[in-house]
Amino acid sequence: MASVHESLYFNPMMTNGVVHANVFGIKDWVTPYKMALLVLLSELGRAGSQLDQLERRRLNRLLLPLLRAGSVHIRLKLIAEGELKDMEQFFDDLSDSFSGTEPEVHKTSVIGLFLRHMILAYNKLSFSQVYKLYTALQQYFLNDEKKCGIDENDMELTNTEELDGKMEKEELDVPLREEEISCSGPLSQKQAEYFLSQQASLLKNDETKALTPGSLQKELNNLLKFNPDFAEAHYLSYLNSLRVHDVFSSTHSLLHYFDRLILTGAESKSNGDEGYGRSLRYAALNLAALHCRFGHYQQAELALQEAIRIAQESNDHVCLQHCLSWLHISEQKIFDSCVLLEHSVNKSLHFGLPYLASLGIQSLVQQRAFAGKAANKLMDALKDSDLLHWKHSLSELIDISIAQKTAIWRLYGRSTMALQQAQTLLSMNSLEAVNVGVQQNNTEAFAVVLCHLAELHAEQGYFAAASEILKHLKERFPPNSQHAQLWMLFDQKIQFERAMNDGRYHIADSLVAGITALNSIEGMYRKAIVLKAQNQMLEAHKLLQKLLIHCQEIKNTEIVISVLLSVAELYWRSSCHTIALPVLLQALAFSREHSLQYLASETVLNLAFSQLILGVPEQVLNILHMAIEPGLAHGAVLDKGCAMFLVAKCQVASTASYTQQKKAEALESAILNLNEAKTYLAKVDCKEQLRDVLYFQARLFHTLGKTQERNKCAMLFRQLHQELPAHGVPLINAFK
């Protein structure tokens, strides 16, 4: 059996690692190979008694193809006289020989190992190397047809050293850096497809783990250099350009993607003419989506009209529903498109498109929230969409739904509910893993929730916690990522509020430019706030009026109410208290119409302050008891401190007709409220308001004859007053 064992491991098709032409069985077999095979058969015949019938049958099935090499010669001829796809089909057929309950070749056998090694070597070839292999095979076959006998050394398809030299010349010099997965040279077809799918998945779910925009574009250019018609590479280039908001490059890559898709016939091969039309209409649809993303709504509408026309001609209801959804997005900037959106949701449900239907419901909820619909009705609608998400395992839309609930509760002024929803999303651990073990935790929904969480902590005076959240956001969404603008805006807003509270108006003014670059409306509003704090009343009033007109045109009710409250404060500082009342009543009407409870509560507090100035403190206390509860439950720490300060002012103002004992009790109660106000204001380091509280508290201690407490408050007031000079407005004429 020793000779049998040696013969089984003798491989006449490989000599020094080089594939010979004999593997394909061209012309006559080489005599040494014949002799080796005959020796093998002879030895097996002697040892046949030691092999059972099943093993003998399997061995015969393996040896039979070797004896019929003519079929290999025919296959080689078909490959050489055919196309490149015939050679690809040959290697695909080799892979199929390992499948089935009784495979033709076992993976662990000698022939199986050889075939697997050959398939692996082929898959590692780049585009250009595959083509060179095919042309070399063609040239060899043609030369062999002309010659009757060829020396074995001349029958090699390729010289190893020569091929290695060519590969070295073709290898690309790609710079590598840590934590990046980049290709170090030419890739095979399957390697390229894996690379593209991996990077596309990372761009969607975890952009920080994908290649940087510059490195990824360099890799894509290298792939397209070897295969310019690789449509998927153009599409990934389109996604990569969207990361950096490059309008020209993204449009260019998207058009190239559909051009290559149509020219290569990837769709039409399977679907005939229908595939060609499908590519055209979805090309127009994607172009419309691209224009919508960059705010080019007129161009988007033209592209949508083209997509709708082609989809109607082909009776493609799915494409029409996609067009209808994007038509809503493009036209909502012009008019109220709720009717169009409702029609889109109904049609999507009719045609069994849960993803589109759920997105439509979420968009409808967002519009209804801005229109002032009740929160319970909106949450019921989101509950219906959540049923679709869980039924169809739409994990991405589950994240979006929770983030939307967080934003809606924030809009309505229910910070406790918003905090609960944010924690719900952050603590979810049932999300499905995507490629390479990435979890869907770096999406836009998580960025929105973390930004709201940072702002909620900052409003409660936990600036260290807010800084940690923002630091985490910066690590998770680097400045060059597509969702980085979200945390950049919140970071600038938090810094602005801290600077204003601390009385550093020059620092707050320097932050306005950064906020304006990220959000022009927020920037204009905060510029007016700085001008008002610097006593530039005329300039602040002009800017607020301009902003008010603009926000009324675009129906930004939240900013409209905030602007009206700032205008009313300008009238207070100008001693025009009666003019401020109709402005505040208008703000209150807007707040209640749009169910903005927190802004309504803040407006009522401002109305109470106006009535206090006009000399009716008794009515003010009745109003405060109804309006202060939402502020204390869901409001920011600064607003809580100002509200308690206002309650103390009203208590003191209402003691004019009290007896001496009752007056003393009222003043003691006012001092307690001032202590609570100081606690709130100290959390956010609001020095200006804290100085006013200390001054007022010192006056009360003086009235009660408490000299030691009065002197302590006076000393603290003097320290703050030296650090933060007065702006010339009487202390009683400022609510916040």
mmCIF file with all atom_site columns, all heavy atoms in Angstrom, residues 556-579:
data_model
loop_
_atom_site.group_PDB
_atom_site.id
_atom_site.type_symbol
_atom_site.label_atom_id
_atom_site.label_alt_id
_atom_site.label_comp_id
_atom_site.label_asym_id
_atom_site.label_entity_id
_atom_site.label_seq_id
_atom_site.pdbx_PDB_ins_code
_atom_site.Cartn_x
_atom_site.Cartn_y
_atom_site.Cartn_z
_atom_site.occupancy
_atom_site.B_iso_or_equiv
_atom_site.pdbx_formal_charge
_atom_site.auth_seq_id
_atom_site.auth_comp_id
_atom_site.auth_asym_id
_atom_site.auth_atom_id
_atom_site.pdbx_PDB_model_num
ATOM 1   N N   . ASN A 1 556 ? -43.032 79.154  11.493 1.00 0.00 ? 556 ASN A N   1
ATOM 2   C CA  . ASN A 1 556 ? -42.224 78.643  12.605 1.00 0.00 ? 556 ASN A CA  1
ATOM 3   C C   . ASN A 1 556 ? -42.783 79.242  13.894 1.00 0.00 ? 556 ASN A C   1
ATOM 4   O O   . ASN A 1 556 ? -42.303 80.254  14.401 1.00 0.00 ? 556 ASN A O   1
ATOM 5   C CB  . ASN A 1 556 ? -40.755 79.029  12.410 1.00 0.00 ? 556 ASN A CB  1
ATOM 6   C CG  . ASN A 1 556 ? -39.828 78.311  13.371 1.00 0.00 ? 556 ASN A CG  1
ATOM 7   O OD1 . ASN A 1 556 ? -40.251 77.861  14.434 1.00 0.00 ? 556 ASN A OD1 1
ATOM 8   N ND2 . ASN A 1 556 ? -38.570 78.187  13.003 1.00 0.00 ? 556 ASN A ND2 1
ATOM 9   N N   . THR A 1 557 ? -43.817 78.590  14.417 1.00 0.00 ? 557 THR A N   1
ATOM 10  C CA  . THR A 1 557 ? -44.576 79.154  15.536 1.00 0.00 ? 557 THR A CA  1
ATOM 11  C C   . THR A 1 557 ? -43.731 79.269  16.796 1.00 0.00 ? 557 THR A C   1
ATOM 12  O O   . THR A 1 557 ? -43.876 80.232  17.567 1.00 0.00 ? 557 THR A O   1
ATOM 13  C CB  . THR A 1 557 ? -45.810 78.279  15.810 1.00 0.00 ? 557 THR A CB  1
ATOM 14  O OG1 . THR A 1 557 ? -46.527 78.084  14.590 1.00 0.00 ? 557 THR A OG1 1
ATOM 15  C CG2 . THR A 1 557 ? -46.720 78.948  16.817 1.00 0.00 ? 557 THR A CG2 1
ATOM 16  N N   . GLU A 1 558 ? -42.871 78.315  17.047 1.00 0.00 ? 558 GLU A N   1
ATOM 17  C CA  . GLU A 1 558 ? -42.061 78.331  18.264 1.00 0.00 ? 558 GLU A CA  1
ATOM 18  C C   . GLU A 1 558 ? -41.182 79.574  18.328 1.00 0.00 ? 558 GLU A C   1
ATOM 19  O O   . GLU A 1 558 ? -41.110 80.242  19.371 1.00 0.00 ? 558 GLU A O   1
ATOM 20  C CB  . GLU A 1 558 ? -41.211 77.065  18.319 1.00 0.00 ? 558 GLU A CB  1
ATOM 21  C CG  . GLU A 1 558 ? -40.478 76.874  19.637 1.00 0.00 ? 558 GLU A CG  1
ATOM 22  C CD  . GLU A 1 558 ? -39.703 75.578  19.675 1.00 0.00 ? 558 GLU A CD  1
ATOM 23  O OE1 . GLU A 1 558 ? -39.623 74.903  18.629 1.00 0.00 ? 558 GLU A OE1 1
ATOM 24  O OE2 . GLU A 1 558 ? -39.166 75.245  20.746 1.00 0.00 ? 558 GLU A OE2 1
ATOM 25  N N   . ILE A 1 559 ? -40.523 79.907  17.236 1.00 0.00 ? 559 ILE A N   1
ATOM 26  C CA  . ILE A 1 559 ? -39.683 81.110  17.214 1.00 0.00 ? 559 ILE A CA  1
ATOM 27  C C   . ILE A 1 559 ? -40.541 82.362  17.243 1.00 0.00 ? 559 ILE A C   1
ATOM 28  O O   . ILE A 1 559 ? -40.156 83.384  17.852 1.00 0.00 ? 559 ILE A O   1
ATOM 29  C CB  . ILE A 1 559 ? -38.776 81.090  15.971 1.00 0.00 ? 559 ILE A CB  1
ATOM 30  C CG1 . ILE A 1 559 ? -37.817 79.900  16.036 1.00 0.00 ? 559 ILE A CG1 1
ATOM 31  C CG2 . ILE A 1 559 ? -37.969 82.384  15.869 1.00 0.00 ? 559 ILE A CG2 1
ATOM 32  C CD1 . ILE A 1 559 ? -36.839 79.948  17.174 1.00 0.00 ? 559 ILE A CD1 1
ATOM 33  N N   . VAL A 1 560 ? -41.724 82.329  16.616 1.00 0.00 ? 560 VAL A N   1
ATOM 34  C CA  . VAL A 1 560 ? -42.629 83.489  16.636 1.00 0.00 ? 560 VAL A CA  1
ATOM 35  C C   . VAL A 1 560 ? -42.985 83.850  18.072 1.00 0.00 ? 560 VAL A C   1
ATOM 36  O O   . VAL A 1 560 ? -42.944 85.036  18.468 1.00 0.00 ? 560 VAL A O   1
ATOM 37  C CB  . VAL A 1 560 ? -43.903 83.194  15.813 1.00 0.00 ? 560 VAL A CB  1
ATOM 38  C CG1 . VAL A 1 560 ? -44.980 84.241  16.092 1.00 0.00 ? 560 VAL A CG1 1
ATOM 39  C CG2 . VAL A 1 560 ? -43.581 83.181  14.327 1.00 0.00 ? 560 VAL A CG2 1
ATOM 40  N N   . ILE A 1 561 ? -43.329 82.858  18.875 1.00 0.00 ? 561 ILE A N   1
ATOM 41  C CA  . ILE A 1 561 ? -43.693 83.124  20.274 1.00 0.00 ? 561 ILE A CA  1
ATOM 42  C C   . ILE A 1 561 ? -42.495 83.648  21.055 1.00 0.00 ? 561 ILE A C   1
ATOM 43  O O   . ILE A 1 561 ? -42.617 84.597  21.851 1.00 0.00 ? 561 ILE A O   1
ATOM 44  C CB  . ILE A 1 561 ? -44.249 81.843  20.915 1.00 0.00 ? 561 ILE A CB  1
ATOM 45  C CG1 . ILE A 1 561 ? -45.523 81.408  20.195 1.00 0.00 ? 561 ILE A CG1 1
ATOM 46  C CG2 . ILE A 1 561 ? -44.524 82.050  22.396 1.00 0.00 ? 561 ILE A CG2 1
ATOM 47  C CD1 . ILE A 1 561 ? -46.040 80.052  20.606 1.00 0.00 ? 561 ILE A CD1 1
ATOM 48  N N   . SER A 1 562 ? -41.323 83.057  20.840 1.00 0.00 ? 562 SER A N   1
ATOM 49  C CA  . SER A 1 562 ? -40.123 83.531  21.536 1.00 0.00 ? 562 SER A CA  1
ATOM 50  C C   . SER A 1 562 ? -39.795 84.968  21.157 1.00 0.00 ? 562 SER A C   1
ATOM 51  O O   . SER A 1 562 ? -39.387 85.773  22.018 1.00 0.00 ? 562 SER A O   1
ATOM 52  C CB  . SER A 1 562 ? -38.943 82.614  21.210 1.00 0.00 ? 562 SER A CB  1
ATOM 53  O OG  . SER A 1 562 ? -39.188 81.283  21.623 1.00 0.00 ? 562 SER A OG  1
ATOM 54  N N   . VAL A 1 563 ? -39.970 85.310  19.889 1.00 0.00 ? 563 VAL A N   1
ATOM 55  C CA  . VAL A 1 563 ? -39.712 86.680  19.441 1.00 0.00 ? 563 VAL A CA  1
ATOM 56  C C   . VAL A 1 563 ? -40.702 87.649  20.085 1.00 0.00 ? 563 VAL A C   1
ATOM 57  O O   . VAL A 1 563 ? -40.319 88.749  20.531 1.00 0.00 ? 563 VAL A O   1
ATOM 58  C CB  . VAL A 1 563 ? -39.782 86.758  17.905 1.00 0.00 ? 563 VAL A CB  1
ATOM 59  C CG1 . VAL A 1 563 ? -39.784 88.215  17.438 1.00 0.00 ? 563 VAL A CG1 1
ATOM 60  C CG2 . VAL A 1 563 ? -38.607 86.010  17.276 1.00 0.00 ? 563 VAL A CG2 1
ATOM 61  N N   . LEU A 1 564 ? -41.970 87.258  20.168 1.00 0.00 ? 564 LEU A N   1
ATOM 62  C CA  . LEU A 1 564 ? -42.969 88.127  20.793 1.00 0.00 ? 564 LEU A CA  1
ATOM 63  C C   . LEU A 1 564 ? -42.649 88.373  22.265 1.00 0.00 ? 564 LEU A C   1
ATOM 64  O O   . LEU A 1 564 ? -42.823 89.502  22.774 1.00 0.00 ? 564 LEU A O   1
ATOM 65  C CB  . LEU A 1 564 ? -44.354 87.505  20.647 1.00 0.00 ? 564 LEU A CB  1
ATOM 66  C CG  . LEU A 1 564 ? -44.946 87.497  19.227 1.00 0.00 ? 564 LEU A CG  1
ATOM 67  C CD1 . LEU A 1 564 ? -46.253 86.728  19.190 1.00 0.00 ? 564 LEU A CD1 1
ATOM 68  C CD2 . LEU A 1 564 ? -45.159 88.921  18.716 1.00 0.00 ? 564 LEU A CD2 1
ATOM 69  N N   . LEU A 1 565 ? -42.178 87.361  22.960 1.00 0.00 ? 565 LEU A N   1
ATOM 70  C CA  . LEU A 1 565 ? -41.792 87.546  24.367 1.00 0.00 ? 565 LEU A CA  1
ATOM 71  C C   . LEU A 1 565 ? -40.605 88.490  24.495 1.00 0.00 ? 565 LEU A C   1
ATOM 72  O O   . LEU A 1 565 ? -40.553 89.324  25.424 1.00 0.00 ? 565 LEU A O   1
ATOM 73  C CB  . LEU A 1 565 ? -41.452 86.192  24.991 1.00 0.00 ? 565 LEU A CB  1
ATOM 74  C CG  . LEU A 1 565 ? -42.602 85.189  25.124 1.00 0.00 ? 565 LEU A CG  1
ATOM 75  C CD1 . LEU A 1 565 ? -42.114 83.886  25.729 1.00 0.00 ? 565 LEU A CD1 1
ATOM 76  C CD2 . LEU A 1 565 ? -43.732 85.772  25.965 1.00 0.00 ? 565 LEU A CD2 1
ATOM 77  N N   . SER A 1 566 ? -39.644 88.408  23.567 1.00 0.00 ? 566 SER A N   1
ATOM 78  C CA  . SER A 1 566 ? -38.498 89.321  23.605 1.00 0.00 ? 566 SER A CA  1
ATOM 79  C C   . SER A 1 566 ? -38.917 90.745  23.283 1.00 0.00 ? 566 SER A C   1
ATOM 80  O O   . SER A 1 566 ? -38.395 91.708  23.873 1.00 0.00 ? 566 SER A O   1
ATOM 81  C CB  . SER A 1 566 ? -37.430 88.845  22.611 1.00 0.00 ? 566 SER A CB  1
ATOM 82  O OG  . SER A 1 566 ? -36.934 87.572  22.967 1.00 0.00 ? 566 SER A OG  1
ATOM 83  N N   . VAL A 1 567 ? -39.851 90.901  22.347 1.00 0.00 ? 567 VAL A N   1
ATOM 84  C CA  . VAL A 1 567 ? -40.355 92.248  22.023 1.00 0.00 ? 567 VAL A CA  1
ATOM 85  C C   . VAL A 1 567 ? -41.063 92.849  23.232 1.00 0.00 ? 567 VAL A C   1
ATOM 86  O O   . VAL A 1 567 ? -40.902 94.051  23.546 1.00 0.00 ? 567 VAL A O   1
ATOM 87  C CB  . VAL A 1 567 ? -41.306 92.178  20.810 1.00 0.00 ? 567 VAL A CB  1
ATOM 88  C CG1 . VAL A 1 567 ? -42.020 93.514  20.603 1.00 0.00 ? 567 VAL A CG1 1
ATOM 89  C CG2 . VAL A 1 567 ? -40.531 91.796  19.550 1.00 0.00 ? 567 VAL A CG2 1
ATOM 90  N N   . ALA A 1 568 ? -41.839 92.037  23.942 1.00 0.00 ? 568 ALA A N   1
ATOM 91  C CA  . ALA A 1 568 ? -42.514 92.534  25.146 1.00 0.00 ? 568 ALA A CA  1
ATOM 92  C C   . ALA A 1 568 ? -41.499 92.982  26.192 1.00 0.00 ? 568 ALA A C   1
ATOM 93  O O   . ALA A 1 568 ? -41.696 94.001  26.876 1.00 0.00 ? 568 ALA A O   1
ATOM 94  C CB  . ALA A 1 568 ? -43.420 91.447  25.712 1.00 0.00 ? 568 ALA A CB  1
ATOM 95  N N   . GLU A 1 569 ? -40.407 92.263  26.330 1.00 0.00 ? 569 GLU A N   1
ATOM 96  C CA  . GLU A 1 569 ? -39.368 92.660  27.284 1.00 0.00 ? 569 GLU A CA  1
ATOM 97  C C   . GLU A 1 569 ? -38.726 93.989  26.876 1.00 0.00 ? 569 GLU A C   1
ATOM 98  O O   . GLU A 1 569 ? -38.360 94.805  27.737 1.00 0.00 ? 569 GLU A O   1
ATOM 99  C CB  . GLU A 1 569 ? -38.320 91.565  27.394 1.00 0.00 ? 569 GLU A CB  1
ATOM 100 C CG  . GLU A 1 569 ? -37.279 91.833  28.475 1.00 0.00 ? 569 GLU A CG  1
ATOM 101 C CD  . GLU A 1 569 ? -36.309 90.687  28.646 1.00 0.00 ? 569 GLU A CD  1
ATOM 102 O OE1 . GLU A 1 569 ? -36.539 89.620  28.053 1.00 0.00 ? 569 GLU A OE1 1
ATOM 103 O OE2 . GLU A 1 569 ? -35.317 90.884  29.374 1.00 0.00 ? 569 GLU A OE2 1
ATOM 104 N N   . LEU A 1 570 ? -38.570 94.217  25.578 1.00 0.00 ? 570 LEU A N   1
ATOM 105 C CA  . LEU A 1 570 ? -38.050 95.517  25.124 1.00 0.00 ? 570 LEU A CA  1
ATOM 106 C C   . LEU A 1 570 ? -38.982 96.648  25.540 1.00 0.00 ? 570 LEU A C   1
ATOM 107 O O   . LEU A 1 570 ? -38.522 97.732  25.948 1.00 0.00 ? 570 LEU A O   1
ATOM 108 C CB  . LEU A 1 570 ? -37.879 95.505  23.604 1.00 0.00 ? 570 LEU A CB  1
ATOM 109 C CG  . LEU A 1 570 ? -36.728 94.678  23.030 1.00 0.00 ? 570 LEU A CG  1
ATOM 110 C CD1 . LEU A 1 570 ? -36.736 94.754  21.510 1.00 0.00 ? 570 LEU A CD1 1
ATOM 111 C CD2 . LEU A 1 570 ? -35.389 95.160  23.564 1.00 0.00 ? 570 LEU A CD2 1
ATOM 112 N N   . TYR A 1 571 ? -40.287 96.414  25.453 1.00 0.00 ? 571 TYR A N   1
ATOM 113 C CA  . TYR A 1 571 ? -41.248 97.438  25.871 1.00 0.00 ? 571 TYR A CA  1
ATOM 114 C C   . TYR A 1 571 ? -41.169 97.678  27.372 1.00 0.00 ? 571 TYR A C   1
ATOM 115 O O   . TYR A 1 571 ? -41.311 98.823  27.840 1.00 0.00 ? 571 TYR A O   1
ATOM 116 C CB  . TYR A 1 571 ? -42.665 97.026  25.466 1.00 0.00 ? 571 TYR A CB  1
ATOM 117 C CG  . TYR A 1 571 ? -42.903 97.078  23.968 1.00 0.00 ? 571 TYR A CG  1
ATOM 118 C CD1 . TYR A 1 571 ? -43.636 96.095  23.319 1.00 0.00 ? 571 TYR A CD1 1
ATOM 119 C CD2 . TYR A 1 571 ? -42.394 98.128  23.197 1.00 0.00 ? 571 TYR A CD2 1
ATOM 120 C CE1 . TYR A 1 571 ? -43.859 96.129  21.951 1.00 0.00 ? 571 TYR A CE1 1
ATOM 121 C CE2 . TYR A 1 571 ? -42.610 98.180  21.831 1.00 0.00 ? 571 TYR A CE2 1
ATOM 122 C CZ  . TYR A 1 571 ? -43.338 97.179  21.209 1.00 0.00 ? 571 TYR A CZ  1
ATOM 123 O OH  . TYR A 1 571 ? -43.551 97.236  19.855 1.00 0.00 ? 571 TYR A OH  1
ATOM 124 N N   . TRP A 1 572 ? -40.947 96.624  28.167 1.00 0.00 ? 572 TRP A N   1
ATOM 125 C CA  . TRP A 1 572 ? -40.780 96.827  29.604 1.00 0.00 ? 572 TRP A CA  1
ATOM 126 C C   . TRP A 1 572 ? -39.589 97.722  29.887 1.00 0.00 ? 572 TRP A C   1
ATOM 127 O O   . TRP A 1 572 ? -39.664 98.652  30.696 1.00 0.00 ? 572 TRP A O   1
ATOM 128 C CB  . TRP A 1 572 ? -40.545 95.493  30.316 1.00 0.00 ? 572 TRP A CB  1
ATOM 129 C CG  . TRP A 1 572 ? -41.693 94.550  30.304 1.00 0.00 ? 572 TRP A CG  1
ATOM 130 C CD1 . TRP A 1 572 ? -43.016 94.861  30.173 1.00 0.00 ? 572 TRP A CD1 1
ATOM 131 C CD2 . TRP A 1 572 ? -41.619 93.136  30.430 1.00 0.00 ? 572 TRP A CD2 1
ATOM 132 N NE1 . TRP A 1 572 ? -43.775 93.727  30.200 1.00 0.00 ? 572 TRP A NE1 1
ATOM 133 C CE2 . TRP A 1 572 ? -42.950 92.643  30.365 1.00 0.00 ? 572 TRP A CE2 1
ATOM 134 C CE3 . TRP A 1 572 ? -40.587 92.230  30.602 1.00 0.00 ? 572 TRP A CE3 1
ATOM 135 C CZ2 . TRP A 1 572 ? -43.256 91.299  30.467 1.00 0.00 ? 572 TRP A CZ2 1
ATOM 136 C CZ3 . TRP A 1 572 ? -40.884 90.892  30.706 1.00 0.00 ? 572 TRP A CZ3 1
ATOM 137 C CH2 . TRP A 1 572 ? -42.203 90.416  30.632 1.00 0.00 ? 572 TRP A CH2 1
ATOM 138 N N   . ARG A 1 573 ? -38.481 97.406  29.230 1.00 0.00 ? 573 ARG A N   1
ATOM 139 C CA  . ARG A 1 573 ? -37.262 98.172  29.492 1.00 0.00 ? 573 ARG A CA  1
ATOM 140 C C   . ARG A 1 573 ? -37.390 99.617  29.023 1.00 0.00 ? 573 ARG A C   1
ATOM 141 O O   . ARG A 1 573 ? -36.647 100.486 29.489 1.00 0.00 ? 573 ARG A O   1
ATOM 142 C CB  . ARG A 1 573 ? -36.079 97.518  28.789 1.00 0.00 ? 573 ARG A CB  1
ATOM 143 C CG  . ARG A 1 573 ? -35.727 96.147  29.372 1.00 0.00 ? 573 ARG A CG  1
ATOM 144 C CD  . ARG A 1 573 ? -34.367 95.687  28.928 1.00 0.00 ? 573 ARG A CD  1
ATOM 145 N NE  . ARG A 1 573 ? -33.949 94.470  29.600 1.00 0.00 ? 573 ARG A NE  1
ATOM 146 C CZ  . ARG A 1 573 ? -32.717 93.990  29.579 1.00 0.00 ? 573 ARG A CZ  1
ATOM 147 N NH1 . ARG A 1 573 ? -31.773 94.633  28.909 1.00 0.00 ? 573 ARG A NH1 1
ATOM 148 N NH2 . ARG A 1 573 ? -32.409 92.885  30.226 1.00 0.00 ? 573 ARG A NH2 1
ATOM 149 N N   . SER A 1 574 ? -38.315 99.846  28.119 1.00 0.00 ? 574 SER A N   1
ATOM 150 C CA  . SER A 1 574 ? -38.568 101.212 27.656 1.00 0.00 ? 574 SER A CA  1
ATOM 151 C C   . SER A 1 574 ? -39.718 101.857 28.415 1.00 0.00 ? 574 SER A C   1
ATOM 152 O O   . SER A 1 574 ? -40.207 102.920 28.010 1.00 0.00 ? 574 SER A O   1
ATOM 153 C CB  . SER A 1 574 ? -38.897 101.201 26.158 1.00 0.00 ? 574 SER A CB  1
ATOM 154 O OG  . SER A 1 574 ? -37.848 100.615 25.416 1.00 0.00 ? 574 SER A OG  1
ATOM 155 N N   . SER A 1 575 ? -40.180 101.174 29.505 1.00 0.00 ? 575 SER A N   1
ATOM 156 C CA  . SER A 1 575 ? -41.280 101.672 30.350 1.00 0.00 ? 575 SER A CA  1
ATOM 157 C C   . SER A 1 575 ? -42.585 101.811 29.582 1.00 0.00 ? 575 SER A C   1
ATOM 158 O O   . SER A 1 575 ? -43.417 102.680 29.885 1.00 0.00 ? 575 SER A O   1
ATOM 159 C CB  . SER A 1 575 ? -40.895 103.018 30.988 1.00 0.00 ? 575 SER A CB  1
ATOM 160 O OG  . SER A 1 575 ? -39.749 102.863 31.791 1.00 0.00 ? 575 SER A OG  1
ATOM 161 N N   . CYS A 1 576 ? -42.793 100.971 28.576 1.00 0.00 ? 576 CYS A N   1
ATOM 162 C CA  . CYS A 1 576 ? -44.045 100.955 27.803 1.00 0.00 ? 576 CYS A CA  1
ATOM 163 C C   . CYS A 1 576 ? -44.813 99.675  28.151 1.00 0.00 ? 576 CYS A C   1
ATOM 164 O O   . CYS A 1 576 ? -44.988 98.787  27.309 1.00 0.00 ? 576 CYS A O   1
ATOM 165 C CB  . CYS A 1 576 ? -43.771 101.039 26.306 1.00 0.00 ? 576 CYS A CB  1
ATOM 166 S SG  . CYS A 1 576 ? -42.834 102.490 25.791 1.00 0.00 ? 576 CYS A SG  1
ATOM 167 N N   . HIS A 1 577 ? -45.276 99.609  29.409 1.00 0.00 ? 577 HIS A N   1
ATOM 168 C CA  . HIS A 1 577 ? -45.868 98.366  29.891 1.00 0.00 ? 577 HIS A CA  1
ATOM 169 C C   . HIS A 1 577 ? -47.209 98.080  29.240 1.00 0.00 ? 577 HIS A C   1
ATOM 170 O O   . HIS A 1 577 ? -47.565 96.919  29.021 1.00 0.00 ? 577 HIS A O   1
ATOM 171 C CB  . HIS A 1 577 ? -46.023 98.432  31.408 1.00 0.00 ? 577 HIS A CB  1
ATOM 172 C CG  . HIS A 1 577 ? -44.747 98.794  32.109 1.00 0.00 ? 577 HIS A CG  1
ATOM 173 N ND1 . HIS A 1 577 ? -43.656 97.968  32.130 1.00 0.00 ? 577 HIS A ND1 1
ATOM 174 C CD2 . HIS A 1 577 ? -44.386 99.915  32.812 1.00 0.00 ? 577 HIS A CD2 1
ATOM 175 C CE1 . HIS A 1 577 ? -42.669 98.541  32.823 1.00 0.00 ? 577 HIS A CE1 1
ATOM 176 N NE2 . HIS A 1 577 ? -43.099 99.726  33.241 1.00 0.00 ? 577 HIS A NE2 1
ATOM 177 N N   . THR A 1 578 ? -47.974 99.106  28.956 1.00 0.00 ? 578 THR A N   1
ATOM 178 C CA  . THR A 1 578 ? -49.287 98.888  28.345 1.00 0.00 ? 578 THR A CA  1
ATOM 179 C C   . THR A 1 578 ? -49.154 98.375  26.911 1.00 0.00 ? 578 THR A C   1
ATOM 180 O O   . THR A 1 578 ? -50.013 97.615  26.439 1.00 0.00 ? 578 THR A O   1
ATOM 181 C CB  . THR A 1 578 ? -50.091 100.188 28.360 1.00 0.00 ? 578 THR A CB  1
ATOM 182 O OG1 . THR A 1 578 ? -49.325 101.232 27.720 1.00 0.00 ? 578 THR A OG1 1
ATOM 183 C CG2 . THR A 1 578 ? -50.408 100.623 29.787 1.00 0.00 ? 578 THR A CG2 1
ATOM 184 N N   . ILE A 1 579 ? -48.093 98.764  26.218 1.00 0.00 ? 579 ILE A N   1
ATOM 185 C CA  . ILE A 1 579 ? -47.888 98.281  24.845 1.00 0.00 ? 579 ILE A CA  1
ATOM 186 C C   . ILE A 1 579 ? -47.478 96.813  24.841 1.00 0.00 ? 579 ILE A C   1
ATOM 187 O O   . ILE A 1 579 ? -47.761 96.080  23.884 1.00 0.00 ? 579 ILE A O   1
ATOM 188 C CB  . ILE A 1 579 ? -46.826 99.145  24.131 1.00 0.00 ? 579 ILE A CB  1
ATOM 189 C CG1 . ILE A 1 579 ? -47.245 100.624 24.138 1.00 0.00 ? 579 ILE A CG1 1
ATOM 190 C CG2 . ILE A 1 579 ? -46.603 98.678  22.709 1.00 0.00 ? 579 ILE A CG2 1
ATOM 191 C CD1 . ILE A 1 579 ? -46.229 101.546 23.517 1.00 0.00 ? 579 ILE A CD1 1
#
